[in-house]
PDB file of all heavy atoms in Angstrom:
ATOM      1  N   GLY A 175      25.819 -33.155   7.566  1.00  0.00           N
ATOM      2  CA  GLY A 175      26.650 -33.471   6.420  1.00  0.00           C
ATOM      3  C   GLY A 175      25.916 -34.448   5.396  1.00  0.00           C
ATOM      4  O   GLY A 175      26.286 -34.644   4.307  1.00  0.00           O
ATOM      5  N   ARG A 176      24.708 -34.955   5.941  1.00  0.00           N
ATOM      6  CA  ARG A 176      24.022 -35.883   5.006  1.00  0.00           C
ATOM      7  C   ARG A 176      23.364 -35.072   3.800  1.00  0.00           C
ATOM      8  O   ARG A 176      22.987 -33.941   3.985  1.00  0.00           O
ATOM      9  CB  ARG A 176      22.879 -36.555   5.701  1.00  0.00           C
ATOM     10  CG  ARG A 176      23.446 -37.641   6.702  1.00  0.00           C
ATOM     11  CD  ARG A 176      22.256 -38.397   7.443  1.00  0.00           C
ATOM     12  NE  ARG A 176      21.658 -37.328   8.290  1.00  0.00           N
ATOM     13  CZ  ARG A 176      20.345 -37.367   8.673  1.00  0.00           C
ATOM     14  NH1 ARG A 176      19.534 -38.251   8.143  1.00  0.00           N
ATOM     15  NH2 ARG A 176      19.827 -36.582   9.390  1.00  0.00           N
ATOM     16  N   PRO A 177      23.297 -35.644   2.644  1.00  0.00           N
ATOM     17  CA  PRO A 177      22.809 -34.841   1.511  1.00  0.00           C
ATOM     18  C   PRO A 177      21.161 -34.699   1.774  1.00  0.00           C
ATOM     19  O   PRO A 177      20.457 -35.383   2.454  1.00  0.00           O
ATOM     20  CB  PRO A 177      22.903 -35.907   0.318  1.00  0.00           C
ATOM     21  CG  PRO A 177      23.338 -37.164   0.870  1.00  0.00           C
ATOM     22  CD  PRO A 177      23.740 -36.997   2.206  1.00  0.00           C
ATOM     23  N   ALA A 178      20.684 -33.564   1.136  1.00  0.00           N
ATOM     24  CA  ALA A 178      19.379 -33.149   1.310  1.00  0.00           C
ATOM     25  C   ALA A 178      18.770 -32.732  -0.138  1.00  0.00           C
ATOM     26  O   ALA A 178      19.666 -32.600  -1.035  1.00  0.00           O
ATOM     27  CB  ALA A 178      19.143 -32.043   2.209  1.00  0.00           C
ATOM     28  N   ARG A 179      17.561 -32.521  -0.350  1.00  0.00           N
ATOM     29  CA  ARG A 179      17.084 -32.005  -1.550  1.00  0.00           C
ATOM     30  C   ARG A 179      16.099 -30.722  -1.301  1.00  0.00           C
ATOM     31  O   ARG A 179      15.444 -30.577  -0.339  1.00  0.00           O
ATOM     32  CB  ARG A 179      16.182 -33.115  -2.233  1.00  0.00           C
ATOM     33  CG  ARG A 179      16.960 -34.303  -2.473  1.00  0.00           C
ATOM     34  CD  ARG A 179      16.130 -35.263  -3.283  1.00  0.00           C
ATOM     35  NE  ARG A 179      14.984 -35.776  -2.506  1.00  0.00           N
ATOM     36  CZ  ARG A 179      13.861 -36.345  -2.983  1.00  0.00           C
ATOM     37  NH1 ARG A 179      13.936 -36.664  -4.247  1.00  0.00           N
ATOM     38  NH2 ARG A 179      12.851 -36.627  -2.164  1.00  0.00           N
ATOM     39  N   LEU A 180      16.122 -29.953  -2.321  1.00  0.00           N
ATOM     40  CA  LEU A 180      15.165 -28.748  -2.341  1.00  0.00           C
ATOM     41  C   LEU A 180      13.818 -29.294  -2.824  1.00  0.00           C
ATOM     42  O   LEU A 180      13.790 -30.121  -3.697  1.00  0.00           O
ATOM     43  CB  LEU A 180      15.647 -27.580  -3.191  1.00  0.00           C
ATOM     44  CG  LEU A 180      16.844 -26.780  -2.729  1.00  0.00           C
ATOM     45  CD1 LEU A 180      17.230 -25.705  -3.665  1.00  0.00           C
ATOM     46  CD2 LEU A 180      16.553 -26.189  -1.369  1.00  0.00           C
ATOM     47  N   ALA A 181      12.751 -28.526  -2.322  1.00  0.00           N
ATOM     48  CA  ALA A 181      11.365 -28.993  -2.740  1.00  0.00           C
ATOM     49  C   ALA A 181      10.526 -27.831  -2.847  1.00  0.00           C
ATOM     50  O   ALA A 181      10.705 -26.869  -2.202  1.00  0.00           O
ATOM     51  CB  ALA A 181      10.721 -30.027  -1.727  1.00  0.00           C
ATOM     52  N   VAL A 182       9.496 -27.997  -3.688  1.00  0.00           N
ATOM     53  CA  VAL A 182       8.383 -27.025  -3.716  1.00  0.00           C
ATOM     54  C   VAL A 182       7.361 -27.695  -2.919  1.00  0.00           C
ATOM     55  O   VAL A 182       6.793 -28.594  -3.171  1.00  0.00           O
ATOM     56  CB  VAL A 182       8.026 -26.752  -5.173  1.00  0.00           C
ATOM     57  CG1 VAL A 182       6.801 -25.774  -5.243  1.00  0.00           C
ATOM     58  CG2 VAL A 182       9.083 -26.174  -6.037  1.00  0.00           C
ATOM     59  N   VAL A 183       6.798 -26.818  -1.896  1.00  0.00           N
ATOM     60  CA  VAL A 183       5.784 -27.404  -1.033  1.00  0.00           C
ATOM     61  C   VAL A 183       4.558 -26.395  -1.160  1.00  0.00           C
ATOM     62  O   VAL A 183       4.767 -25.143  -0.932  1.00  0.00           O
ATOM     63  CB  VAL A 183       6.300 -27.330   0.515  1.00  0.00           C
ATOM     64  CG1 VAL A 183       5.244 -27.928   1.270  1.00  0.00           C
ATOM     65  CG2 VAL A 183       7.543 -28.266   0.464  1.00  0.00           C
ATOM     66  N   ASP A 184       3.343 -27.011  -1.374  1.00  0.00           N
ATOM     67  CA  ASP A 184       2.157 -26.071  -1.466  1.00  0.00           C
ATOM     68  C   ASP A 184       1.714 -25.651  -0.034  1.00  0.00           C
ATOM     69  O   ASP A 184       2.230 -25.969   1.022  1.00  0.00           O
ATOM     70  CB  ASP A 184       1.059 -26.759  -2.315  1.00  0.00           C
ATOM     71  CG  ASP A 184       0.392 -27.889  -1.657  1.00  0.00           C
ATOM     72  OD1 ASP A 184       0.573 -28.055  -0.428  1.00  0.00           O
ATOM     73  OD2 ASP A 184      -0.340 -28.624  -2.347  1.00  0.00           O
ATOM     74  N   GLU A 185       0.701 -24.850   0.019  1.00  0.00           N
ATOM     75  CA  GLU A 185       0.274 -24.285   1.237  1.00  0.00           C
ATOM     76  C   GLU A 185      -0.294 -25.285   2.128  1.00  0.00           C
ATOM     77  O   GLU A 185      -0.445 -25.098   3.340  1.00  0.00           O
ATOM     78  CB  GLU A 185      -0.776 -23.179   0.981  1.00  0.00           C
ATOM     79  CG  GLU A 185      -2.019 -23.577   0.276  1.00  0.00           C
ATOM     80  CD  GLU A 185      -2.908 -22.416   0.030  1.00  0.00           C
ATOM     81  OE1 GLU A 185      -2.390 -21.303  -0.092  1.00  0.00           O
ATOM     82  OE2 GLU A 185      -4.060 -22.621  -0.302  1.00  0.00           O
ATOM     83  N   ASP A 186      -0.642 -26.411   1.703  1.00  0.00           N
ATOM     84  CA  ASP A 186      -1.190 -27.553   2.508  1.00  0.00           C
ATOM     85  C   ASP A 186      -0.104 -28.500   3.087  1.00  0.00           C
ATOM     86  O   ASP A 186      -0.300 -29.451   3.823  1.00  0.00           O
ATOM     87  CB  ASP A 186      -2.212 -28.516   1.710  1.00  0.00           C
ATOM     88  CG  ASP A 186      -3.458 -27.640   1.331  1.00  0.00           C
ATOM     89  OD1 ASP A 186      -3.819 -26.732   2.283  1.00  0.00           O
ATOM     90  OD2 ASP A 186      -3.931 -27.837   0.225  1.00  0.00           O
ATOM     91  N   GLY A 187       1.225 -28.119   2.706  1.00  0.00           N
ATOM     92  CA  GLY A 187       2.378 -28.940   3.132  1.00  0.00           C
ATOM     93  C   GLY A 187       2.771 -30.201   2.294  1.00  0.00           C
ATOM     94  O   GLY A 187       3.625 -30.883   2.482  1.00  0.00           O
ATOM     95  N   CYS A 188       2.078 -30.199   1.114  1.00  0.00           N
ATOM     96  CA  CYS A 188       2.263 -31.386   0.094  1.00  0.00           C
ATOM     97  C   CYS A 188       3.530 -30.994  -0.759  1.00  0.00           C
ATOM     98  O   CYS A 188       3.468 -29.896  -1.370  1.00  0.00           O
ATOM     99  CB  CYS A 188       1.077 -31.580  -0.759  1.00  0.00           C
ATOM    100  SG  CYS A 188      -0.305 -32.169   0.135  1.00  0.00           S
ATOM    101  N   ILE A 189       4.392 -31.965  -1.045  1.00  0.00           N
ATOM    102  CA  ILE A 189       5.481 -31.754  -1.829  1.00  0.00           C
ATOM    103  C   ILE A 189       5.068 -31.838  -3.343  1.00  0.00           C
ATOM    104  O   ILE A 189       4.566 -32.875  -3.708  1.00  0.00           O
ATOM    105  CB  ILE A 189       6.666 -32.727  -1.523  1.00  0.00           C
ATOM    106  CG1 ILE A 189       7.244 -32.583  -0.062  1.00  0.00           C
ATOM    107  CG2 ILE A 189       7.848 -32.526  -2.671  1.00  0.00           C
ATOM    108  CD1 ILE A 189       8.184 -33.466   0.362  1.00  0.00           C
ATOM    109  N   VAL A 190       5.197 -30.770  -4.057  1.00  0.00           N
ATOM    110  CA  VAL A 190       4.787 -30.735  -5.479  1.00  0.00           C
ATOM    111  C   VAL A 190       5.799 -31.216  -6.194  1.00  0.00           C
ATOM    112  O   VAL A 190       5.639 -31.908  -7.328  1.00  0.00           O
ATOM    113  CB  VAL A 190       4.342 -29.349  -5.773  1.00  0.00           C
ATOM    114  CG1 VAL A 190       3.812 -29.173  -7.308  1.00  0.00           C
ATOM    115  CG2 VAL A 190       3.176 -28.806  -4.934  1.00  0.00           C
ATOM    116  N   GLU A 191       7.128 -30.630  -6.207  1.00  0.00           N
ATOM    117  CA  GLU A 191       8.283 -31.071  -6.829  1.00  0.00           C
ATOM    118  C   GLU A 191       9.389 -31.186  -5.912  1.00  0.00           C
ATOM    119  O   GLU A 191       9.408 -30.310  -4.922  1.00  0.00           O
ATOM    120  CB  GLU A 191       8.568 -30.162  -8.022  1.00  0.00           C
ATOM    121  CG  GLU A 191       7.545 -30.126  -9.049  1.00  0.00           C
ATOM    122  CD  GLU A 191       7.927 -29.313 -10.229  1.00  0.00           C
ATOM    123  OE1 GLU A 191       8.753 -29.704 -11.047  1.00  0.00           O
ATOM    124  OE2 GLU A 191       7.297 -28.204 -10.280  1.00  0.00           O
ATOM    125  N   ALA A 192      10.380 -31.950  -6.253  1.00  0.00           N
ATOM    126  CA  ALA A 192      11.640 -32.064  -5.384  1.00  0.00           C
ATOM    127  C   ALA A 192      12.895 -32.648  -6.197  1.00  0.00           C
ATOM    128  O   ALA A 192      12.620 -33.223  -7.223  1.00  0.00           O
ATOM    129  CB  ALA A 192      11.286 -32.942  -4.112  1.00  0.00           C
ATOM    130  N   GLY A 193      13.906 -32.340  -5.724  1.00  0.00           N
ATOM    131  CA  GLY A 193      15.183 -32.904  -6.237  1.00  0.00           C
ATOM    132  C   GLY A 193      15.953 -32.081  -7.020  1.00  0.00           C
ATOM    133  O   GLY A 193      15.871 -30.777  -6.835  1.00  0.00           O
ATOM    134  N   ASN A 194      16.986 -32.655  -7.819  1.00  0.00           N
ATOM    135  CA  ASN A 194      17.932 -31.921  -8.602  1.00  0.00           C
ATOM    136  C   ASN A 194      17.324 -30.897  -9.544  1.00  0.00           C
ATOM    137  O   ASN A 194      17.889 -29.799  -9.920  1.00  0.00           O
ATOM    138  CB  ASN A 194      18.906 -32.818  -9.338  1.00  0.00           C
ATOM    139  CG  ASN A 194      19.677 -33.603  -8.441  1.00  0.00           C
ATOM    140  OD1 ASN A 194      20.055 -33.116  -7.350  1.00  0.00           O
ATOM    141  ND2 ASN A 194      20.146 -34.738  -8.849  1.00  0.00           N
ATOM    142  N   ASP A 195      16.199 -31.224 -10.288  1.00  0.00           N
ATOM    143  CA  ASP A 195      15.525 -30.291 -11.132  1.00  0.00           C
ATOM    144  C   ASP A 195      15.117 -28.994 -10.477  1.00  0.00           C
ATOM    145  O   ASP A 195      15.319 -27.879 -10.958  1.00  0.00           O
ATOM    146  CB  ASP A 195      14.333 -30.817 -11.770  1.00  0.00           C
ATOM    147  CG  ASP A 195      14.762 -31.891 -12.753  1.00  0.00           C
ATOM    148  OD1 ASP A 195      15.891 -31.991 -13.268  1.00  0.00           O
ATOM    149  OD2 ASP A 195      13.856 -32.759 -13.232  1.00  0.00           O
ATOM    150  N   VAL A 196      14.519 -29.147  -9.282  1.00  0.00           N
ATOM    151  CA  VAL A 196      14.238 -27.984  -8.416  1.00  0.00           C
ATOM    152  C   VAL A 196      15.516 -27.121  -8.041  1.00  0.00           C
ATOM    153  O   VAL A 196      15.525 -25.824  -8.289  1.00  0.00           O
ATOM    154  CB  VAL A 196      13.576 -28.248  -7.078  1.00  0.00           C
ATOM    155  CG1 VAL A 196      13.213 -27.102  -6.343  1.00  0.00           C
ATOM    156  CG2 VAL A 196      12.143 -28.944  -7.451  1.00  0.00           C
ATOM    157  N   ALA A 197      16.479 -27.777  -7.694  1.00  0.00           N
ATOM    158  CA  ALA A 197      17.842 -27.046  -7.319  1.00  0.00           C
ATOM    159  C   ALA A 197      18.315 -26.278  -8.406  1.00  0.00           C
ATOM    160  O   ALA A 197      18.778 -25.230  -8.424  1.00  0.00           O
ATOM    161  CB  ALA A 197      18.886 -28.058  -6.697  1.00  0.00           C
ATOM    162  N   GLN A 198      18.397 -26.992  -9.647  1.00  0.00           N
ATOM    163  CA  GLN A 198      19.004 -26.516 -10.844  1.00  0.00           C
ATOM    164  C   GLN A 198      18.219 -25.253 -11.275  1.00  0.00           C
ATOM    165  O   GLN A 198      18.728 -24.270 -11.797  1.00  0.00           O
ATOM    166  CB  GLN A 198      19.174 -27.520 -11.954  1.00  0.00           C
ATOM    167  CG  GLN A 198      20.211 -28.540 -11.691  1.00  0.00           C
ATOM    168  CD  GLN A 198      21.635 -27.848 -11.506  1.00  0.00           C
ATOM    169  OE1 GLN A 198      22.405 -28.121 -10.805  1.00  0.00           O
ATOM    170  NE2 GLN A 198      21.985 -26.852 -12.596  1.00  0.00           N
ATOM    171  N   THR A 199      16.878 -25.374 -11.246  1.00  0.00           N
ATOM    172  CA  THR A 199      15.952 -24.310 -11.682  1.00  0.00           C
ATOM    173  C   THR A 199      16.187 -23.115 -10.680  1.00  0.00           C
ATOM    174  O   THR A 199      16.268 -21.921 -11.194  1.00  0.00           O
ATOM    175  CB  THR A 199      14.542 -24.845 -11.659  1.00  0.00           C
ATOM    176  OG1 THR A 199      14.420 -25.809 -12.615  1.00  0.00           O
ATOM    177  CG2 THR A 199      13.522 -23.593 -12.083  1.00  0.00           C
ATOM    178  N   VAL A 200      16.138 -23.303  -9.464  1.00  0.00           N
ATOM    179  CA  VAL A 200      16.422 -22.251  -8.474  1.00  0.00           C
ATOM    180  C   VAL A 200      17.652 -21.457  -8.786  1.00  0.00           C
ATOM    181  O   VAL A 200      17.912 -20.273  -8.717  1.00  0.00           O
ATOM    182  CB  VAL A 200      16.256 -22.676  -7.034  1.00  0.00           C
ATOM    183  CG1 VAL A 200      16.745 -21.671  -5.976  1.00  0.00           C
ATOM    184  CG2 VAL A 200      14.929 -23.146  -6.734  1.00  0.00           C
ATOM    185  N   TRP A 201      18.762 -22.354  -8.985  1.00  0.00           N
ATOM    186  CA  TRP A 201      20.036 -21.760  -9.298  1.00  0.00           C
ATOM    187  C   TRP A 201      20.046 -20.954 -10.511  1.00  0.00           C
ATOM    188  O   TRP A 201      20.619 -19.711 -10.552  1.00  0.00           O
ATOM    189  CB  TRP A 201      21.076 -22.953  -9.439  1.00  0.00           C
ATOM    190  CG  TRP A 201      22.372 -22.462  -9.697  1.00  0.00           C
ATOM    191  CD1 TRP A 201      23.128 -22.473 -10.950  1.00  0.00           C
ATOM    192  CD2 TRP A 201      23.406 -21.913  -8.774  1.00  0.00           C
ATOM    193  NE1 TRP A 201      24.387 -22.081 -10.721  1.00  0.00           N
ATOM    194  CE2 TRP A 201      24.673 -21.617  -9.451  1.00  0.00           C
ATOM    195  CE3 TRP A 201      23.361 -21.689  -7.328  1.00  0.00           C
ATOM    196  CZ2 TRP A 201      25.715 -21.146  -8.795  1.00  0.00           C
ATOM    197  CZ3 TRP A 201      24.453 -21.224  -6.747  1.00  0.00           C
ATOM    198  CH2 TRP A 201      25.642 -20.857  -7.435  1.00  0.00           C
ATOM    199  N   ALA A 202      19.421 -21.464 -11.606  1.00  0.00           N
ATOM    200  CA  ALA A 202      19.357 -20.778 -12.923  1.00  0.00           C
ATOM    201  C   ALA A 202      18.514 -19.446 -12.872  1.00  0.00           C
ATOM    202  O   ALA A 202      18.958 -18.355 -13.269  1.00  0.00           O
ATOM    203  CB  ALA A 202      18.752 -21.541 -13.961  1.00  0.00           C
ATOM    204  N   ILE A 203      17.485 -19.510 -11.944  1.00  0.00           N
ATOM    205  CA  ILE A 203      16.680 -18.192 -11.764  1.00  0.00           C
ATOM    206  C   ILE A 203      17.514 -17.208 -10.950  1.00  0.00           C
ATOM    207  O   ILE A 203      17.542 -15.982 -11.333  1.00  0.00           O
ATOM    208  CB  ILE A 203      15.450 -18.618 -10.944  1.00  0.00           C
ATOM    209  CG1 ILE A 203      14.508 -19.280 -11.899  1.00  0.00           C
ATOM    210  CG2 ILE A 203      14.731 -17.188 -10.656  1.00  0.00           C
ATOM    211  CD1 ILE A 203      13.856 -18.581 -13.051  1.00  0.00           C
ATOM    212  N   ALA A 204      18.150 -17.618 -10.009  1.00  0.00           N
ATOM    213  CA  ALA A 204      19.099 -16.833  -9.136  1.00  0.00           C
ATOM    214  C   ALA A 204      20.217 -16.057 -10.098  1.00  0.00           C
ATOM    215  O   ALA A 204      20.421 -14.871 -10.102  1.00  0.00           O
ATOM    216  CB  ALA A 204      19.846 -17.465  -8.118  1.00  0.00           C
ATOM    217  N   ILE A 205      20.805 -16.883 -10.895  1.00  0.00           N
ATOM    218  CA  ILE A 205      21.986 -16.350 -11.730  1.00  0.00           C
ATOM    219  C   ILE A 205      21.386 -15.433 -12.765  1.00  0.00           C
ATOM    220  O   ILE A 205      21.963 -14.298 -13.047  1.00  0.00           O
ATOM    221  CB  ILE A 205      22.695 -17.532 -12.432  1.00  0.00           C
ATOM    222  CG1 ILE A 205      23.429 -18.313 -11.361  1.00  0.00           C
ATOM    223  CG2 ILE A 205      23.789 -16.944 -13.428  1.00  0.00           C
ATOM    224  CD1 ILE A 205      24.448 -17.493 -10.393  1.00  0.00           C
ATOM    225  N   THR A 206      20.267 -15.869 -13.410  1.00  0.00           N
ATOM    226  CA  THR A 206      19.654 -15.083 -14.475  1.00  0.00           C
ATOM    227  C   THR A 206      19.139 -13.751 -13.940  1.00  0.00           C
ATOM    228  O   THR A 206      19.197 -12.623 -14.548  1.00  0.00           O
ATOM    229  CB  THR A 206      18.605 -15.860 -15.132  1.00  0.00           C
ATOM    230  OG1 THR A 206      18.978 -16.950 -15.658  1.00  0.00           O
ATOM    231  CG2 THR A 206      17.857 -15.034 -16.218  1.00  0.00           C
ATOM    232  N   THR A 207      18.528 -13.871 -12.762  1.00  0.00           N
ATOM    233  CA  THR A 207      18.200 -12.520 -12.084  1.00  0.00           C
ATOM    234  C   THR A 207      19.170 -11.572 -11.773  1.00  0.00           C
ATOM    235  O   THR A 207      19.169 -10.390 -11.997  1.00  0.00           O
ATOM    236  CB  THR A 207      17.322 -12.863 -10.757  1.00  0.00           C
ATOM    237  OG1 THR A 207      16.242 -13.698 -11.067  1.00  0.00           O
ATOM    238  CG2 THR A 207      16.895 -11.623 -10.069  1.00  0.00           C
ATOM    239  N   TYR A 208      20.399 -12.185 -11.394  1.00  0.00           N
ATOM    240  CA  TYR A 208      21.495 -11.187 -11.031  1.00  0.00           C
ATOM    241  C   TYR A 208      22.057 -10.640 -12.320  1.00  0.00           C
ATOM    242  O   TYR A 208      22.313  -9.453 -12.339  1.00  0.00           O
ATOM    243  CB  TYR A 208      22.637 -12.148 -10.401  1.00  0.00           C
ATOM    244  CG  TYR A 208      23.967 -11.521 -10.237  1.00  0.00           C
ATOM    245  CD1 TYR A 208      24.069 -10.483  -9.374  1.00  0.00           C
ATOM    246  CD2 TYR A 208      24.990 -11.903 -11.019  1.00  0.00           C
ATOM    247  CE1 TYR A 208      25.330  -9.822  -9.102  1.00  0.00           C
ATOM    248  CE2 TYR A 208      26.248 -11.285 -10.883  1.00  0.00           C
ATOM    249  CZ  TYR A 208      26.422 -10.239 -10.036  1.00  0.00           C
ATOM    250  OH  TYR A 208      27.611  -9.559  -9.874  1.00  0.00           O
ATOM    251  N   CYS A 209      22.188 -11.523 -13.340  1.00  0.00           N
ATOM    252  CA  CYS A 209      22.643 -10.929 -14.747  1.00  0.00           C
ATOM    253  C   CYS A 209      21.775  -9.913 -15.182  1.00  0.00           C
ATOM    254  O   CYS A 209      22.227  -8.883 -15.694  1.00  0.00           O
ATOM    255  CB  CYS A 209      22.908 -12.027 -15.602  1.00  0.00           C
ATOM    256  SG  CYS A 209      24.198 -13.234 -15.169  1.00  0.00           S
ATOM    257  N   THR A 210      20.597 -10.140 -15.113  1.00  0.00           N
ATOM    258  CA  THR A 210      19.439  -9.191 -15.542  1.00  0.00           C
ATOM    259  C   THR A 210      19.637  -7.770 -14.815  1.00  0.00           C
ATOM    260  O   THR A 210      19.539  -6.841 -15.388  1.00  0.00           O
ATOM    261  CB  THR A 210      17.983  -9.839 -15.510  1.00  0.00           C
ATOM    262  OG1 THR A 210      17.931 -11.014 -16.334  1.00  0.00           O
ATOM    263  CG2 THR A 210      16.956  -8.820 -15.938  1.00  0.00           C
ATOM    264  N   ALA A 211      19.849  -7.947 -13.496  1.00  0.00           N
ATOM    265  CA  ALA A 211      20.053  -6.793 -12.664  1.00  0.00           C
ATOM    266  C   ALA A 211      21.143  -5.991 -13.174  1.00  0.00           C
ATOM    267  O   ALA A 211      21.114  -4.767 -13.200  1.00  0.00           O
ATOM    268  CB  ALA A 211      20.166  -6.984 -11.162  1.00  0.00           C
ATOM    269  N   LEU A 212      22.246  -6.635 -13.406  1.00  0.00           N
ATOM    270  CA  LEU A 212      23.545  -5.933 -13.994  1.00  0.00           C
ATOM    271  C   LEU A 212      23.252  -5.290 -15.283  1.00  0.00           C
ATOM    272  O   LEU A 212      23.698  -4.090 -15.454  1.00  0.00           O
ATOM    273  CB  LEU A 212      24.660  -6.932 -14.092  1.00  0.00           C
ATOM    274  CG  LEU A 212      25.100  -7.528 -12.656  1.00  0.00           C
ATOM    275  CD1 LEU A 212      26.207  -8.635 -13.054  1.00  0.00           C
ATOM    276  CD2 LEU A 212      25.722  -6.449 -11.793  1.00  0.00           C
ATOM    277  N   LEU A 213      22.550  -5.972 -16.154  1.00  0.00           N
ATOM    278  CA  LEU A 213      22.362  -5.505 -17.403  1.00  0.00           C
ATOM    279  C   LEU A 213      21.258  -4.441 -17.671  1.00  0.00           C
ATOM    280  O   LEU A 213      21.433  -3.572 -18.503  1.00  0.00           O
ATOM    281  CB  LEU A 213      22.153  -6.625 -18.534  1.00  0.00           C
ATOM    282  CG  LEU A 213      23.230  -7.663 -18.678  1.00  0.00           C
ATOM    283  CD1 LEU A 213      22.646  -8.853 -19.383  1.00  0.00           C
ATOM    284  CD2 LEU A 213      24.404  -6.913 -19.472  1.00  0.00           C
TER     285      LEU A 213
END
């Protein structure tokens, strides 16, 4: 139940970006992809 964050991790295991911006972007891409598929 503890909060966690999404992150972009490179092939060496280094965190490149993390946090709410990553989560919101992933969400927006998912919704936009779905809508694009429908249209």
Side-chain angles (χ1 to χ4, degrees):
R176 291 181 292 149
R179 299 184 301 164
L180 287 180
V182 176
V183 181
D184 71 12
E185 61 187 21
D186 296 323
C188 297
I189 297 174
V190 178
E191 294 184 75
N194 290 336
D195 288 345
V196 173
Q198 286 300 133
T199 299
V200 169
W201 182 257
I203 293 290
I205 297 301
T206 304
T207 302
Y208 172 70
C209 292
T210 301
L212 291 177
L213 294 171

